[in-house]
Amino acid sequence: MPLTIAVARERAPGEKRVALSPESARRFKDLGAELRIEAGAGLSSHFVDADYADVASAHSLEETYAGADVILRVSPPSPEEIAAMPVGSVLIGLLRPFELPARLDALNGRRITAFALELLPRISRAQSMDVLSSQGACAGYQSGLIAAARCAKFFPMLTTASGTVRPARVLVIGAGVAGLQAIATCRRLGAAVEAYDVRAAAREQIESLGAKFVDTGVQADGAGGYARDLSAVEKLQQAERLARAVAAADVVITTAAVPGKAAPVIVTEEMVAQMRHGALIVDLAAETGGNCALTQPGEHVDVGGVHIHGPLHLASRMPTHASDLYARNLYNFLSPWVREGQLAFDGADEILAGALLCRDGSTVHPLVKHVLGEA
Ligand code: NAD
């Protein structure tokens, strides 16, 4: 029997992406895999059923998952969706392991081999599979557009018959993949951009995009190329130095994250109080609590004339390209292990081992086990 890969419609509220694009379906087919997709699964990404030529169509979740060997997803499956997965099948997707521990128990109850793509090692060989990067780029781009659309000022400098308009001042806090894309987008729109990150490598990347680096003197490189948590002293120093830049900005875009932890609060209530009337905060970290103390996830709040946006599902605002890139990442992750229509994982592979969350009824990822154990 050839390998069967199944993709159901994403049912999480606000999720518009799909894990299989027509292009990735063709490429999996060329590897000899059988594909099954639930009718309408691509519609919110604007892929109609007819675009999936040669892919079997199913008409319910149960029919989609029945007998599947591999299940591809974007967002974590609900308990009902997990119950529909065949015992012993392979699940690949963004599984939010730190936030949804009960789901891990449900996956283990069905002995699902689960790969969480947010755990993928950030090594060169894994770049083509890196969903955090592809989706972070979408989110960063969208944050720049939201900022420009909501800002009370022009982003670019304008020389008009009525006189010259100075460019808007944007401050980006956190210059990972999303932050760098936010910087690039705001720069393309002509804003004067400053940016800040605690990782040493970020300075050069910020400057290469034509933005000015805000130096707080705090450097906090952690394991695996990520930032670490700041100490109380470092937080104070960061807050003191950053307060001036926040107060001077027309727009603050925040993207700071530490894996396995709630987003660090960087923009405090006191800093917001110092911002000018009409200034704007776009908090990309809203999904994990927010980098601004006053962010309400999914809401837009007005605090004394400062507008604070906590947008969710940013990649779903551009679902066609977000799904295209996500599906390519999935193909690049899975395809090396599909030979003549059969799946043969190498358990010793660094990338597979790094992303492996659950196997044989247990949660096996060391960091997830450590964080959940602490909790
Ligand atoms: P992320 O989403 O985990 O965090 C966003 C940014 O927030 C990071 O740059 C982080 O340094 C920063 N941050 C955390 N705490 C902060 C604080 N208190 N103040 C200011 N900034 C803070 O990061 P990401 O975008 O996923 O990227 C993480 C790292 O992985 C980066 O070094 C990136 O270059 C690297 N990366 C490697 C690959 C690869 O080689 N495969 C691919 C993508 C990213």
Short mmCIF file of all heavy atoms in Angstrom, two decimals, residues 154-223:
data_model
loop_
_atom_site.label_atom_id
_atom_site.label_comp_id
_atom_site.label_asym_id
_atom_site.label_seq_id
_atom_site.Cartn_x
_atom_site.Cartn_y
_atom_site.Cartn_z
N PHE A 154 1.92 60.21 7.53
CA PHE A 154 2.55 59.55 6.38
C PHE A 154 3.74 58.74 6.88
O PHE A 154 4.46 59.20 7.77
CB PHE A 154 3.09 60.59 5.39
CG PHE A 154 2.10 61.12 4.41
CD1 PHE A 154 1.69 62.45 4.46
CD2 PHE A 154 1.57 60.30 3.42
CE1 PHE A 154 0.79 62.96 3.54
CE2 PHE A 154 0.68 60.80 2.48
CZ PHE A 154 0.28 62.13 2.54
N PHE A 155 4.02 57.59 6.28
CA PHE A 155 5.28 56.91 6.57
C PHE A 155 6.44 57.62 5.85
O PHE A 155 7.46 57.89 6.45
CB PHE A 155 5.20 55.42 6.17
CG PHE A 155 4.91 54.52 7.36
CD1 PHE A 155 4.16 54.97 8.44
CD2 PHE A 155 5.39 53.22 7.41
CE1 PHE A 155 3.89 54.15 9.54
CE2 PHE A 155 5.14 52.39 8.50
CZ PHE A 155 4.40 52.85 9.57
N PRO A 156 6.33 57.92 4.54
CA PRO A 156 7.49 58.52 3.86
C PRO A 156 7.59 60.02 4.11
O PRO A 156 6.61 60.66 4.47
CB PRO A 156 7.19 58.26 2.38
CG PRO A 156 5.71 58.19 2.30
CD PRO A 156 5.22 57.64 3.60
N MET A 157 8.78 60.54 3.86
CA MET A 157 8.92 61.99 3.80
C MET A 157 8.26 62.46 2.50
O MET A 157 8.41 61.80 1.47
CB MET A 157 10.40 62.36 3.78
CG MET A 157 10.61 63.85 3.85
SD MET A 157 12.35 64.26 3.84
CE MET A 157 12.59 64.53 2.12
N LEU A 158 7.49 63.52 2.57
CA LEU A 158 6.83 64.00 1.37
C LEU A 158 7.18 65.46 1.17
O LEU A 158 7.15 66.24 2.12
CB LEU A 158 5.31 63.91 1.51
CG LEU A 158 4.61 62.58 1.28
CD1 LEU A 158 3.11 62.83 1.20
CD2 LEU A 158 5.08 61.90 0.02
N THR A 159 7.51 65.79 -0.05
CA THR A 159 7.69 67.20 -0.37
C THR A 159 6.50 67.59 -1.23
O THR A 159 6.33 67.07 -2.34
CB THR A 159 9.01 67.40 -1.14
OG1 THR A 159 10.05 66.80 -0.36
CG2 THR A 159 9.32 68.87 -1.32
N THR A 160 5.65 68.44 -0.69
CA THR A 160 4.42 68.78 -1.39
C THR A 160 4.37 70.30 -1.59
O THR A 160 5.16 71.05 -1.00
CB THR A 160 3.17 68.37 -0.58
OG1 THR A 160 3.02 69.29 0.51
CG2 THR A 160 3.30 66.97 -0.02
N ALA A 161 3.38 70.72 -2.36
CA ALA A 161 3.19 72.16 -2.58
C ALA A 161 2.87 72.86 -1.27
O ALA A 161 3.13 74.06 -1.09
CB ALA A 161 2.06 72.37 -3.59
N SER A 162 2.32 72.10 -0.31
CA SER A 162 1.98 72.71 0.98
C SER A 162 3.14 72.69 1.96
O SER A 162 3.00 73.12 3.10
CB SER A 162 0.81 71.94 1.62
OG SER A 162 -0.04 71.42 0.67
N GLY A 163 4.26 72.11 1.52
CA GLY A 163 5.43 72.05 2.41
C GLY A 163 5.89 70.62 2.60
O GLY A 163 5.30 69.69 2.06
N THR A 164 6.94 70.46 3.38
CA THR A 164 7.54 69.12 3.56
C THR A 164 6.97 68.44 4.79
O THR A 164 6.75 69.07 5.82
CB THR A 164 9.07 69.28 3.67
OG1 THR A 164 9.53 69.84 2.45
CG2 THR A 164 9.76 67.94 3.89
N VAL A 165 6.72 67.13 4.64
CA VAL A 165 6.23 66.31 5.76
C VAL A 165 7.36 65.38 6.17
O VAL A 165 7.97 64.72 5.32
CB VAL A 165 5.01 65.49 5.30
CG1 VAL A 165 4.62 64.46 6.35
CG2 VAL A 165 3.83 66.39 4.97
N ARG A 166 7.66 65.36 7.46
CA ARG A 166 8.75 64.48 7.93
C ARG A 166 8.26 63.03 7.98
O ARG A 166 7.08 62.79 8.25
CB ARG A 166 9.20 64.91 9.33
CG ARG A 166 9.88 66.28 9.31
CD ARG A 166 9.92 66.85 10.71
NE ARG A 166 10.78 66.05 11.58
CZ ARG A 166 12.10 66.21 11.66
NH1 ARG A 166 12.70 67.14 10.96
NH2 ARG A 166 12.82 65.46 12.47
N PRO A 167 9.15 62.06 7.76
CA PRO A 167 8.70 60.66 7.80
C PRO A 167 8.28 60.23 9.20
O PRO A 167 8.77 60.78 10.19
CB PRO A 167 9.94 59.87 7.35
CG PRO A 167 11.09 60.76 7.62
CD PRO A 167 10.59 62.18 7.49
N ALA A 168 7.37 59.26 9.28
CA ALA A 168 6.96 58.73 10.58
C ALA A 168 8.15 58.00 11.21
O ALA A 168 9.01 57.46 10.51
CB ALA A 168 5.80 57.76 10.39
N ARG A 169 8.18 57.99 12.54
CA ARG A 169 9.27 57.29 13.26
C ARG A 169 8.74 55.97 13.78
O ARG A 169 7.77 55.93 14.55
CB ARG A 169 9.73 58.14 14.45
CG ARG A 169 10.40 59.42 14.01
CD ARG A 169 10.92 60.18 15.19
NE ARG A 169 12.02 59.46 15.84
CZ ARG A 169 12.92 60.05 16.62
NH1 ARG A 169 12.85 61.35 16.86
NH2 ARG A 169 13.87 59.36 17.19
N VAL A 170 9.37 54.90 13.35
CA VAL A 170 8.94 53.56 13.75
C VAL A 170 10.04 52.93 14.60
O VAL A 170 11.22 53.01 14.24
CB VAL A 170 8.67 52.67 12.51
CG1 VAL A 170 8.33 51.23 12.93
CG2 VAL A 170 7.54 53.24 11.66
N LEU A 171 9.65 52.32 15.71
CA LEU A 171 10.59 51.56 16.53
C LEU A 171 10.16 50.10 16.51
O LEU A 171 9.00 49.79 16.83
CB LEU A 171 10.56 52.08 17.98
CG LEU A 171 11.32 51.25 19.01
CD1 LEU A 171 12.83 51.26 18.73
CD2 LEU A 171 11.04 51.75 20.43
N VAL A 172 11.06 49.20 16.11
CA VAL A 172 10.76 47.77 16.11
C VAL A 172 11.55 47.12 17.24
O VAL A 172 12.77 47.25 17.30
CB VAL A 172 11.12 47.12 14.75
CG1 VAL A 172 10.89 45.61 14.78
CG2 VAL A 172 10.30 47.76 13.62
N ILE A 173 10.85 46.45 18.14
CA ILE A 173 11.50 45.79 19.28
C ILE A 173 11.45 44.28 19.04
O ILE A 173 10.37 43.70 18.93
CB ILE A 173 10.81 46.15 20.61
CG1 ILE A 173 10.88 47.66 20.84
CG2 ILE A 173 11.44 45.38 21.77
CD1 ILE A 173 10.15 48.15 22.08
N GLY A 174 12.63 43.66 18.96
CA GLY A 174 12.72 42.23 18.60
C GLY A 174 13.00 42.15 17.11
O GLY A 174 12.13 42.48 16.30
N ALA A 175 14.22 41.77 16.75
CA ALA A 175 14.59 41.74 15.32
C ALA A 175 14.95 40.33 14.90
O ALA A 175 16.03 40.08 14.38
CB ALA A 175 15.74 42.72 15.07
N GLY A 176 14.03 39.40 15.15
CA GLY A 176 14.13 38.05 14.58
C GLY A 176 13.56 38.12 13.17
O GLY A 176 13.59 39.17 12.52
N VAL A 177 13.04 36.99 12.70
CA VAL A 177 12.54 36.95 11.33
C VAL A 177 11.39 37.95 11.13
O VAL A 177 11.39 38.73 10.17
CB VAL A 177 12.07 35.53 10.98
CG1 VAL A 177 11.51 35.48 9.58
CG2 VAL A 177 13.22 34.54 11.14
N ALA A 178 10.42 37.94 12.04
CA ALA A 178 9.26 38.84 11.88
C ALA A 178 9.68 40.29 12.02
O ALA A 178 9.27 41.16 11.24
CB ALA A 178 8.19 38.49 12.92
N GLY A 179 10.53 40.57 13.01
CA GLY A 179 10.95 41.95 13.24
C GLY A 179 11.72 42.50 12.05
O GLY A 179 11.53 43.65 11.64
N LEU A 180 12.61 41.68 11.48
CA LEU A 180 13.39 42.15 10.32
C LEU A 180 12.48 42.41 9.12
O LEU A 180 12.67 43.37 8.38
CB LEU A 180 14.48 41.13 9.96
CG LEU A 180 15.63 41.02 10.99
CD1 LEU A 180 16.56 39.86 10.63
CD2 LEU A 180 16.43 42.32 11.09
N GLN A 181 11.45 41.58 8.97
CA GLN A 181 10.52 41.81 7.86
C GLN A 181 9.68 43.08 8.12
O GLN A 181 9.37 43.83 7.20
CB GLN A 181 9.60 40.59 7.70
CG GLN A 181 8.81 40.56 6.40
CD GLN A 181 9.68 40.67 5.17
OE1 GLN A 181 9.50 41.58 4.37
NE2 GLN A 181 10.63 39.76 5.01
N ALA A 182 9.34 43.31 9.40
CA ALA A 182 8.62 44.54 9.75
C ALA A 182 9.49 45.76 9.43
O ALA A 182 9.03 46.75 8.86
CB ALA A 182 8.23 44.53 11.23
N ILE A 183 10.78 45.67 9.78
CA ILE A 183 11.71 46.78 9.49
C ILE A 183 11.77 47.01 7.98
O ILE A 183 11.63 48.15 7.50
CB ILE A 183 13.14 46.46 10.01
CG1 ILE A 183 13.16 46.36 11.54
CG2 ILE A 183 14.14 47.52 9.54
CD1 ILE A 183 14.46 45.79 12.11
N ALA A 184 11.96 45.92 7.22
CA ALA A 184 12.10 46.05 5.76
C ALA A 184 10.82 46.67 5.16
O ALA A 184 10.90 47.54 4.28
CB ALA A 184 12.38 44.69 5.14
N THR A 185 9.67 46.23 5.66
CA THR A 185 8.40 46.74 5.10
C THR A 185 8.23 48.22 5.43
O THR A 185 7.86 49.02 4.55
CB THR A 185 7.23 45.90 5.68
OG1 THR A 185 7.47 44.53 5.37
CG2 THR A 185 5.89 46.32 5.09
N CYS A 186 8.52 48.60 6.66
CA CYS A 186 8.39 50.01 7.05
C CYS A 186 9.40 50.88 6.30
O CYS A 186 9.10 52.02 5.92
CB CYS A 186 8.54 50.17 8.56
SG CYS A 186 7.21 49.40 9.48
N ARG A 187 10.59 50.33 6.08
CA ARG A 187 11.59 51.09 5.31
C ARG A 187 11.13 51.28 3.87
O ARG A 187 11.27 52.36 3.31
CB ARG A 187 12.95 50.35 5.33
CG ARG A 187 13.66 50.39 6.65
CD ARG A 187 14.31 51.74 6.93
NE ARG A 187 15.25 52.11 5.91
CZ ARG A 187 15.40 53.36 5.42
NH1 ARG A 187 14.66 54.34 5.88
NH2 ARG A 187 16.29 53.59 4.48
N ARG A 188 10.58 50.20 3.29
CA ARG A 188 10.10 50.32 1.89
C ARG A 188 9.02 51.39 1.78
O ARG A 188 8.87 52.03 0.76
CB ARG A 188 9.53 49.00 1.40
CG ARG A 188 10.58 47.98 1.06
CD ARG A 188 9.92 46.72 0.49
NE ARG A 188 10.80 45.59 0.69
CZ ARG A 188 10.53 44.54 1.44
NH1 ARG A 188 9.36 44.45 2.08
NH2 ARG A 188 11.39 43.57 1.57
N LEU A 189 8.25 51.53 2.86
CA LEU A 189 7.18 52.54 2.84
C LEU A 189 7.72 53.92 3.22
O LEU A 189 6.97 54.88 3.28
CB LEU A 189 6.06 52.12 3.80
CG LEU A 189 5.26 50.90 3.31
CD1 LEU A 189 4.36 50.37 4.42
CD2 LEU A 189 4.41 51.28 2.10
N GLY A 190 9.01 53.98 3.53
CA GLY A 190 9.64 55.29 3.69
C GLY A 190 9.78 55.80 5.11
O GLY A 190 10.22 56.93 5.32
N ALA A 191 9.40 54.98 6.11
CA ALA A 191 9.49 55.46 7.50
C ALA A 191 10.95 55.52 7.96
O ALA A 191 11.82 54.83 7.42
CB ALA A 191 8.70 54.52 8.41
N ALA A 192 11.20 56.33 8.97
CA ALA A 192 12.51 56.35 9.64
C ALA A 192 12.42 55.29 10.74
O ALA A 192 11.58 55.39 11.64
CB ALA A 192 12.76 57.73 10.25
N VAL A 193 13.25 54.25 10.63
CA VAL A 193 13.09 53.09 11.51
C VAL A 193 14.27 52.93 12.45
O VAL A 193 15.44 53.02 12.03
CB VAL A 193 12.90 51.79 10.68
CG1 VAL A 193 12.66 50.60 11.59
CG2 VAL A 193 11.76 51.93 9.67
N GLU A 194 13.94 52.69 13.73
CA GLU A 194 14.94 52.29 14.72
C GLU A 194 14.54 50.89 15.19
O GLU A 194 13.36 50.55 15.16
CB GLU A 194 14.90 53.20 15.94
CG GLU A 194 15.36 54.61 15.68
CD GLU A 194 15.45 55.39 16.99
OE1 GLU A 194 14.53 55.25 17.83
OE2 GLU A 194 16.43 56.11 17.17
N ALA A 195 15.51 50.11 15.63
CA ALA A 195 15.16 48.77 16.08
C ALA A 195 16.10 48.31 17.17
O ALA A 195 17.21 48.81 17.30
CB ALA A 195 15.17 47.79 14.91
N TYR A 196 15.62 47.30 17.89
CA TYR A 196 16.35 46.84 19.06
C TYR A 196 16.16 45.35 19.24
O TYR A 196 15.06 44.82 19.02
CB TYR A 196 15.83 47.60 20.29
CG TYR A 196 16.26 46.97 21.58
CD1 TYR A 196 17.60 46.96 21.94
CD2 TYR A 196 15.34 46.34 22.42
CE1 TYR A 196 18.01 46.35 23.10
CE2 TYR A 196 15.74 45.73 23.59
CZ TYR A 196 17.08 45.73 23.92
OH TYR A 196 17.49 45.11 25.06
N ASP A 197 17.21 44.66 19.64
CA ASP A 197 17.12 43.24 20.01
C ASP A 197 18.22 42.96 21.00
O ASP A 197 19.22 43.69 21.06
CB ASP A 197 17.30 42.35 18.75
CG ASP A 197 16.80 40.94 18.97
OD1 ASP A 197 17.39 40.21 19.80
OD2 ASP A 197 15.82 40.54 18.32
N VAL A 198 18.06 41.89 21.77
CA VAL A 198 19.09 41.56 22.77
C VAL A 198 20.18 40.66 22.21
O VAL A 198 21.21 40.48 22.85
CB VAL A 198 18.47 40.86 24.02
CG1 VAL A 198 17.72 41.87 24.87
CG2 VAL A 198 17.57 39.70 23.63
N ARG A 199 19.95 40.03 21.04
CA ARG A 199 20.99 39.17 20.47
C ARG A 199 22.04 40.02 19.76
O ARG A 199 21.70 40.95 19.02
CB ARG A 199 20.37 38.17 19.48
CG ARG A 199 19.62 37.03 20.14
CD ARG A 199 19.03 36.11 19.09
NE ARG A 199 18.12 36.80 18.20
CZ ARG A 199 18.40 37.12 16.94
NH1 ARG A 199 19.54 36.78 16.40
NH2 ARG A 199 17.51 37.76 16.22
N ALA A 200 23.32 39.63 19.94
CA ALA A 200 24.41 40.43 19.40
C ALA A 200 24.33 40.53 17.87
O ALA A 200 24.61 41.59 17.30
CB ALA A 200 25.75 39.81 19.82
N ALA A 201 23.94 39.42 17.22
CA ALA A 201 23.95 39.39 15.75
C ALA A 201 22.91 40.34 15.14
O ALA A 201 22.99 40.70 13.96
CB ALA A 201 23.68 37.97 15.26
N ALA A 202 21.94 40.75 15.95
CA ALA A 202 20.82 41.52 15.41
C ALA A 202 21.26 42.91 14.93
O ALA A 202 20.71 43.45 13.97
CB ALA A 202 19.71 41.65 16.45
N ARG A 203 22.28 43.49 15.60
CA ARG A 203 22.68 44.87 15.26
C ARG A 203 23.01 45.00 13.77
O ARG A 203 22.47 45.88 13.09
CB ARG A 203 23.89 45.27 16.11
CG ARG A 203 24.35 46.66 15.78
CD ARG A 203 25.59 47.08 16.57
NE ARG A 203 25.64 48.52 16.58
CZ ARG A 203 25.86 49.25 17.65
NH1 ARG A 203 26.06 48.68 18.81
NH2 ARG A 203 25.89 50.56 17.58
N GLU A 204 23.86 44.10 13.29
CA GLU A 204 24.29 44.17 11.89
C GLU A 204 23.10 43.98 10.95
O GLU A 204 22.99 44.64 9.92
CB GLU A 204 25.34 43.09 11.67
CG GLU A 204 26.16 43.28 10.42
CD GLU A 204 27.06 42.08 10.17
OE1 GLU A 204 27.63 41.54 11.14
OE2 GLU A 204 27.16 41.69 8.99
N GLN A 205 22.21 43.05 11.32
CA GLN A 205 21.05 42.77 10.46
C GLN A 205 20.12 43.99 10.40
O GLN A 205 19.60 44.34 9.35
CB GLN A 205 20.30 41.54 10.97
CG GLN A 205 21.13 40.27 10.82
CD GLN A 205 20.59 39.09 11.62
OE1 GLN A 205 19.71 39.23 12.46
NE2 GLN A 205 21.15 37.92 11.37
N ILE A 206 19.94 44.63 11.55
CA ILE A 206 19.10 45.83 11.61
C ILE A 206 19.70 46.93 10.72
O ILE A 206 19.01 47.54 9.90
CB ILE A 206 18.97 46.32 13.08
CG1 ILE A 206 18.09 45.36 13.88
CG2 ILE A 206 18.44 47.74 13.15
CD1 ILE A 206 18.14 45.57 15.39
N GLU A 207 21.01 47.12 10.89
CA GLU A 207 21.66 48.21 10.14
C GLU A 207 21.69 47.92 8.64
O GLU A 207 21.59 48.83 7.83
CB GLU A 207 23.07 48.44 10.70
CG GLU A 207 22.98 49.08 12.10
CD GLU A 207 24.31 49.24 12.82
OE1 GLU A 207 25.33 48.65 12.37
OE2 GLU A 207 24.34 49.94 13.83
N SER A 208 21.79 46.62 8.29
CA SER A 208 21.84 46.29 6.86
C SER A 208 20.50 46.61 6.17
O SER A 208 20.44 46.71 4.94
CB SER A 208 22.20 44.82 6.65
OG SER A 208 21.10 44.01 6.99
N LEU A 209 19.44 46.76 6.96
CA LEU A 209 18.14 47.12 6.36
C LEU A 209 17.91 48.63 6.37
O LEU A 209 16.81 49.11 6.07
CB LEU A 209 17.01 46.42 7.12
CG LEU A 209 16.97 44.89 6.94
CD1 LEU A 209 15.98 44.26 7.91
CD2 LEU A 209 16.59 44.54 5.51
N GLY A 210 18.93 49.36 6.77
CA GLY A 210 18.80 50.82 6.75
C GLY A 210 18.12 51.38 7.98
O GLY A 210 17.68 52.53 7.99
N ALA A 211 18.04 50.58 9.05
CA ALA A 211 17.44 51.08 10.30
C ALA A 211 18.56 51.40 11.29
O ALA A 211 19.70 50.93 11.14
CB ALA A 211 16.51 50.03 10.88
N LYS A 212 18.23 52.17 12.31
CA LYS A 212 19.23 52.55 13.32
C LYS A 212 19.08 51.61 14.51
O LYS A 212 17.95 51.34 14.95
CB LYS A 212 18.95 53.99 13.73
CG LYS A 212 19.94 54.57 14.68
CD LYS A 212 19.72 56.08 14.81
CE LYS A 212 20.53 56.59 15.98
NZ LYS A 212 19.76 56.98 17.13
N PHE A 213 20.21 51.11 15.00
CA PHE A 213 20.16 50.20 16.15
C PHE A 213 20.06 51.01 17.44
O PHE A 213 20.81 51.96 17.65
CB PHE A 213 21.43 49.33 16.17
CG PHE A 213 21.47 48.36 17.32
CD1 PHE A 213 20.60 47.28 17.37
CD2 PHE A 213 22.38 48.55 18.36
CE1 PHE A 213 20.64 46.38 18.44
CE2 PHE A 213 22.42 47.65 19.43
CZ PHE A 213 21.56 46.57 19.46
N VAL A 214 19.13 50.62 18.31
CA VAL A 214 19.01 51.26 19.62
C VAL A 214 19.83 50.42 20.59
O VAL A 214 19.54 49.24 20.81
CB VAL A 214 17.54 51.30 20.09
CG1 VAL A 214 17.43 51.93 21.47
CG2 VAL A 214 16.67 52.05 19.09
N ASP A 215 20.87 51.01 21.15
CA ASP A 215 21.77 50.26 22.02
C ASP A 215 21.38 50.46 23.47
O ASP A 215 21.50 51.57 24.01
CB ASP A 215 23.21 50.73 21.76
CG ASP A 215 24.22 49.75 22.34
OD1 ASP A 215 23.81 48.83 23.06
OD2 ASP A 215 25.43 49.92 22.04
N THR A 216 20.92 49.40 24.12
CA THR A 216 20.56 49.52 25.55
C THR A 216 21.70 48.99 26.42
O THR A 216 21.60 49.04 27.65
CB THR A 216 19.29 48.72 25.88
OG1 THR A 216 19.59 47.33 25.73
CG2 THR A 216 18.12 49.11 25.00
N GLY A 217 22.71 48.40 25.78
CA GLY A 217 23.81 47.82 26.55
C GLY A 217 23.47 46.44 27.11
O GLY A 217 24.29 45.82 27.77
N VAL A 218 22.26 45.95 26.85
CA VAL A 218 21.87 44.62 27.35
C VAL A 218 22.03 43.62 26.22
O VAL A 218 21.47 43.80 25.14
CB VAL A 218 20.39 44.61 27.84
CG1 VAL A 218 19.96 43.20 28.22
CG2 VAL A 218 20.22 45.57 29.00
N GLN A 219 22.79 42.58 26.48
CA GLN A 219 22.99 41.52 25.48
C GLN A 219 22.61 40.19 26.13
O GLN A 219 23.08 39.89 27.22
CB GLN A 219 24.45 41.51 25.04
CG GLN A 219 24.64 40.78 23.73
CD GLN A 219 26.07 40.91 23.24
OE1 GLN A 219 26.59 42.03 23.13
NE2 GLN A 219 26.70 39.79 22.99
N ALA A 220 21.75 39.42 25.48
CA ALA A 220 21.23 38.21 26.13
C ALA A 220 21.06 37.08 25.13
O ALA A 220 19.94 36.64 24.85
CB ALA A 220 19.91 38.52 26.83
N ASP A 221 22.20 36.60 24.58
CA ASP A 221 22.13 35.45 23.68
C ASP A 221 21.95 34.18 24.51
O ASP A 221 22.65 33.98 25.50
CB ASP A 221 23.43 35.36 22.87
CG ASP A 221 23.53 36.49 21.86
OD1 ASP A 221 24.00 37.59 22.23
OD2 ASP A 221 23.10 36.27 20.73
N GLY A 222 20.99 33.36 24.10
CA GLY A 222 20.75 32.10 24.82
C GLY A 222 21.11 30.91 23.95
O GLY A 222 21.86 31.04 22.98
N ALA A 223 20.55 29.77 24.26
CA ALA A 223 20.88 28.54 23.53
C ALA A 223 20.20 28.53 22.16
O ALA A 223 19.14 29.13 21.98
CB ALA A 223 20.42 27.34 24.34
#
